[in-house]
């Protein structure tokens, strides 16, 4: 239900994304990996309407959304998080979710908000000021909670697992699986750690210098010589 | 009814009854109070735009002037009843404020400059379009407010009741928006517009609504003023004072609060008229500028909130 066709993004002389085509179904959990600067976040920005590609199309549920502004795409069911958390300032944690629900999902349902808070272990923090009262990991969970509150059909997660220690990561991955199953939403997740992505996602897409260089099961992808080359290139850089 | 609303109702009732009962016979005092409340009305509209919309306007004189002229012309040229012309004048001010929409994408200082220029354009238009506005000569004998339910709204006490009613309606509307989900989203937008948009908030539209609401209120106040003084000329109706006084008032009283602009307007207008004017008969507005600059430097949240905090 998400389809990218020949998407190209240019920043000045730099092609951040080059002719990317990708399809994913609403029941999929797909990993998006690639070295720093590969264009992963830019691709998310294209999907959610924050960056205009110079070429290509984005289709969501069969509808061309290229001319829909960012806020409309959110209402259509495209939820996203930011790599650097962007809480809504001047609001409490709960108010962040209420605004997301009211405007993104077009309804008000306090029980559902409680459920999301509980799921992301933010119940205790619900009354805190979102901009100043949370630790980094809590902010990352708030990113996911906000996106969930809009009741998305597709969730774009930008490195929400980064920086967690093993135990925390395992727990968060469990949550994501639960979200995927319980709310029946597709998830496209950016993550650097190969082990994490392999255990979480049956399908992995690799981006390098703005181009897709591999797409398949973790097994296939991480044994692909081109991927190994791009990865080792970065590891030793 | 919660405690706040109850307090508001009691205060309102006292304002309705007590002031005319005490000062009703004194035209000078009633005139001063009405003028102060006119400034208060614009100050509320200005604070709404600043607080909820996140936009600082130096051009509310434009909406005030458009409202004044619209209502005067509707009643004089088309024979509309005053009480119908006034809300219509508000809507016409909204229509004209729509010309400001492209400026909504500008950030703070640029928006402020754009709206400043915008106000000047209207003053010039009102002067040049003399076939409609009689240019610099001005419009005189603008109809007064009518008699309604046996109350002469054109009298000082009657006008007072009208302006208090308008202010109460504005404050109630402002309070409602602020408390609603729109108010929450607007609050969020100030520092995190992108984060707010990606959860489905049409931020430009919400800001536009605040501009419209603010322009409407200011236009209605302009119309009210036109029908109470019965005379208009471009330099007066679009005068910079209608932009500056409300800002000073709102900041003085605390523009983040609902009552601040009103209290601020009463203080500032009376200080200006009774003190500054007698000290500096011409150019007393300079003192307001100095006061404003001092407040922005030393107490950006207003003087009254500062006072309240000290004694809390
Ligand atoms: N708004 C922008 N203006 C100019 N260049 C940009 C902009 N956003 C991204 N870029 C550049 O585009 C390229 C891709 O950036 P992007 O953030 O998409 O990479 P990424 O794959 O998300 O990397 P990381 O793993 O570090 O988050 C980089 O070279 C980056 O510097
Ligand atoms: Mg990135």
């Amino acid at each position: 239900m998400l389809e990218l066709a020949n998407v190209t993004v240019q920043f000045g002389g730099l092609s951040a994304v080059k002719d990317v085509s990708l399809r994913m179904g609403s029941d999929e959990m797909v990993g998006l990996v690639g070295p720093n600067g590969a264009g992963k976040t830019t691709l998310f920005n294209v999907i959610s309407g924050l960056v205009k590609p110079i070429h290509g199309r984005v289709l969501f549920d069969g509808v061309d959304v290229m001319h829909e502004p960012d806020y409309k795409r959110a209402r259509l069911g495209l939820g996203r998080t930011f790599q650097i958390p962007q809480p809504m300032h001047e609001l409490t944690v709960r108010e962040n979710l209420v605004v997301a629900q009211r405007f993104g999902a077009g309804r008000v349902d306090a029980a559902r908000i409680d459920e999301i808070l509980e799921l992301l272990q933010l119940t205790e923090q619900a009354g805190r000021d979102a901009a100043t009262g949370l630790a980094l990991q809590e902010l990352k969970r708030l990113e996911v909670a906000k996106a969930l509150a809009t009741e998305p059909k597709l969730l774009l997660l930008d490195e929400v697992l980064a920086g967690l220690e093993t135990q925390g990561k395992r727990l968060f991955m469990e949550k994501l699986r639960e979200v995927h199953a319980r709310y029946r939403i597709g998830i496209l997740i950016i993550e650097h750690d190969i082990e994490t992505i392999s255990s979480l996602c049956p399908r992995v897409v690799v981006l390098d210098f703005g181009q897709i260089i591999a797409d398949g099961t973790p097994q296939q992808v991480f044994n692909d010589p081109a991927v190994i080359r791009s990865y080792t290139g970065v590891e030793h850089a | 009814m919660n405690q706040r609303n109850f307090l508001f109702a009691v205060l309102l009732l006292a304002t309705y009854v007590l002031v005319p009962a005490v000062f009703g016979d004194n035209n000078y005092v009633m005139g001063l109070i009405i003028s102060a409340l006119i400034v208060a009305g614009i100050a509320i509209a200005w604070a709404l735009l600043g607080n909820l919309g996140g936009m600082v306007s130096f051009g509310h004189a434009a909406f005030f002037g458009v409202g004044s002229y619209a209502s005067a012309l509707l009643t004089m040229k088309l024979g509309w009843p005053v009480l119908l012309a006034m809300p219509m004048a508000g809507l016409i001010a909204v229509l004209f404020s729509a010309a400001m929409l492209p400026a909504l994408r500008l950030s703070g200082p640029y928006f402020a400059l754009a709206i400043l220029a915008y106000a000047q354009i209207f003053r010039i238009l009102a002067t040049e379009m003399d076939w409609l506005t009689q240019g610099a000569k001005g419009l005189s004998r603008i109809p007064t407010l009518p008699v309604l339910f046996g109350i002469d709204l054109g009298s000082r006490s009657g006008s007072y009741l009208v302006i208090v009613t308008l202010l109460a309606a504005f404050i109630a509307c402002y309070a409602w928006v602020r408390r609603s989900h729109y108010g929450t989203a607007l609050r969020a937008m100030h520092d995190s517009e992108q984060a707010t948009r990606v959860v489905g908030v049409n931020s430009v539209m919400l800001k536009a609504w605040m501009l419209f609401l603010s322009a409407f209120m200011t236009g209605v106040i302009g119309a009210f003023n036109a029908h109470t003084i019965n005379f208009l000329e471009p330099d007066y109706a679009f005068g910079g004072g209608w932009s500056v006084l409300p800002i000073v008032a709102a900041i003085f009283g605390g523009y983040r609060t609902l009552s601040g602009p009103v209290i601020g307007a009463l203080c500032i207008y009376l200080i200006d008229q009774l003190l500054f004017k007698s000290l500096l008969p011409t150019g007393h507005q300079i003192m307001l500028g100095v006061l404003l600059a001092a407040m922005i430097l030393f107490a950006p949240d207003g003087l009254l909130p500062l006072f309240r905090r000290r004694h809390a």
Side-chain angles (χ1 to χ4, degrees):
Chain A
M1 47 85 156
L2 174 71
E3 188 181 342
L4 304 179
N6 311 101
V7 171
T8 300
V9 176
Q10 195 90 23
F11 291 123
L14 173 89
S15 304
V17 173
K18 277 178 243 167
D19 199 32
V20 165
S21 296
L22 177 72
R23 277 165 171 275
M24 74 172 275
S26 51
D27 52 352
E28 279 196 279
M29 173 111 86
V30 178
L32 183 59
V33 303
N36 292 110
K40 305 179 295 295
T41 298
T42 303
L43 204 57
F44 272 20
N45 287 340
V46 169
I47 298 170
S48 55
L50 299 181
V51 162
K52 281 225 176 310
I54 56 159
H55 186 72
R57 288 195 308 164
V58 179
L59 280 86
F60 186 57
D61 274 345
V63 182
D64 187 340
V65 295
M66 282 316 291
H67 299 290
E68 302 291 355
D70 46 8
Y71 70 89
K72 272 212 183 125
R73 296 194 200 185
R75 291 176 190 178
L76 285 172
L78 283 166
R80 73 163 291 165
T81 68
F82 288 101
Q83 186 170 349
I84 297 166
Q86 293 191 18
M88 287 183 260
H89 288 241
E90 294 192 36
L91 304 191
T92 64
V93 169
R94 176 180 286 277
E95 282 174 330
N96 264 264
L97 301 203
V98 169
V99 167
Q101 185 183 53
R102 170 64 184 75
F103 292 90
R107 65 194 197 100
V108 179
D109 178 350
R112 169 81 187 235
I113 299 242
D114 288 333
E115 186 181 298
I116 296 171
L117 285 169
E118 180 78 42
L119 183 74
L120 289 154
Q121 295 168 294
L122 288 168
T123 307
E124 255 177 64
Q125 294 88 332
R128 287 199 206 151
D129 183 29
T132 58
L134 300 184
L136 179 62
Q137 288 308 326
E138 291 169 330
L139 279 172
K140 289 198 166 193
R141 297 207 296 275
L142 175 59
E143 281 297 299
V144 181
K146 263 190 305 171
L148 276 181
T150 65
E151 299 179 15
K153 295 180 193 153
L154 174 64
L155 197 51
L156 307 171
L157 302 175
D158 198 344
E159 299 195 21
V160 289
L161 295 168
L164 281 168
E165 36 41 269
T166 324
Q167 187 55 32
K169 205 173 239 184
R170 197 171 302 142
L171 203 74
F172 208 149
M173 283 161 66
E174 226 20 78
K175 299 284 182 197
L176 292 182
R177 288 196 187 95
E178 195 180 334
V179 163
H180 180 60
R182 191 199 295 189
Y183 300 123
R184 294 162 178 269
I185 49 187
I187 294 181
L188 181 59
I189 179 171
I190 297 174
E191 168 60 37
H192 279 288
D193 185 51
I194 295 178
E195 220 169 295
T196 307
I197 213 77
S198 301
S199 90
L200 195 62
C201 304
R203 178 181 166 197
V204 176
V205 174
V206 186
L207 211 56
D208 191 19
F209 289 111
Q211 283 177 308
I212 292 184
I213 57 167
D215 181 346
T217 63
Q219 261 284 335
Q220 297 167 336
V221 161
F222 293 116
N223 289 316
D224 187 315
V227 175
I228 295 169
R229 217 174 306 126
S230 100
Y231 254 76
T232 47
V234 165
E235 307 279 80
H236 298 292
Chain B
M1 195 187 270
N2 63 30
Q3 203 180 345
R4 257 185 91 93
N5 287 353
F6 181 72
L7 207 70
F8 182 66
V10 169
L11 205 73
L12 192 63
L13 203 69
T15 319
Y16 267 125
V17 179
L18 280 183
V19 174
V22 176
F23 300 113
D25 296 331
N26 190 331
N27 269 347
Y28 172 70
V29 174
M30 285 308 279
L32 267 183
I33 295 176
I34 290 170
S35 300
L37 292 178
I38 286 172
V39 173
I42 312 171
I44 293 170
W46 181 88
L48 178 145
L49 186 65
N51 239 345
L52 298 180
M55 286 166 280
V56 177
S57 160
F58 291 121
H60 265 52
F63 308 138
F64 183 86
V66 166
S68 323
Y69 269 95
S71 201
L73 292 172
L74 282 173
T75 50
M76 293 171 74
K77 305 244 160 166
L78 300 181
W80 281 40
V82 170
L83 291 184
L84 198 64
M86 280 174 56
M88 193 60 195
L91 290 179
I92 292 172
V94 169
L95 206 68
F96 279 86
S97 76
M100 284 301 301
L101 287 182
L104 284 185
R105 291 174 187 279
L106 301 176
S107 65
Y110 298 101
F111 175 82
L113 284 179
I115 199 167
L116 188 65
Y118 177 81
Q120 290 310 312
I121 292 169
F122 278 94
R123 187 218 295 259
I124 295 165
L125 277 181
T127 315
E128 296 301 319
M129 291 169 56
D130 48 8
W131 54 272
L132 183 67
T133 64
Q134 296 180 25
K137 202 153 48 105
L139 293 172
S140 49
R141 268 171 301 172
I142 297 167
T144 41
L145 291 158
V147 177
L148 194 71
F149 306 125
I151 303 171
D152 179 8
L153 300 180
S155 71
R156 284 287 153 89
S157 298
S159 304
Y160 171 81
L161 295 183
V162 174
I163 187 78
V164 170
T165 307
L166 287 177
L167 293 199
F170 290 177
I171 290 177
C173 173
Y174 183 176
W176 180 82
V177 175
R178 197 169 73 156
R179 237 189 4 240
S180 72
H181 288 129
Y182 299 103
T184 316
L186 282 159
R187 187 151 42 98
M189 272 158 44
H190 298 168
D191 280 325
S192 18
E193 182 154 351
Q194 180 167 272
T196 314
R197 290 179 66 85
V198 301
V199 295
V201 177
N202 183 349
S203 57
V204 176
M205 178 69 106
L206 270 190
K207 281 200 264 184
W209 274 108
M210 294 308 107
L211 180 67
F212 293 159
L213 201 55
S214 187
F216 178 81
M217 291 175 173
T218 311
V220 170
I221 293 287
F224 169 83
N225 185 55
H227 296 295
T228 36
I229 62 160
N230 315 110
F231 174 77
L232 282 181
E233 56 182 17
D235 284 354
Y236 167 76
F238 292 94
W242 300 119
S243 295
V244 175
L245 262 177
I247 301 177
V248 183
I251 294 184
F252 182 84
Y255 69 96
R256 289 184 189 281
T257 63
L258 288 173
S259 58
V262 179
I263 298 168
L266 285 168
C267 297
I268 287 296
Y269 190 77
L270 297 180
I271 292 173
D272 183 48
Q273 290 296 310
L274 302 177
L275 184 66
F276 292 172
K277 217 171 177 174
S278 61
L279 291 175
L280 257 183
T282 53
H284 57 103
Q285 290 91 342
I286 288 176
M287 312 270 285
L288 289 176
V290 173
L291 190 62
L292 181 62
M295 280 184 314
I296 290 173
L297 284 177
F298 301 114
D301 273 337
L303 286 191
L304 292 182
L306 203 69
F307 182 78
R308 251 174 252 151
R309 224 175 302 135
R310 288 260 162 84
H311 293 259

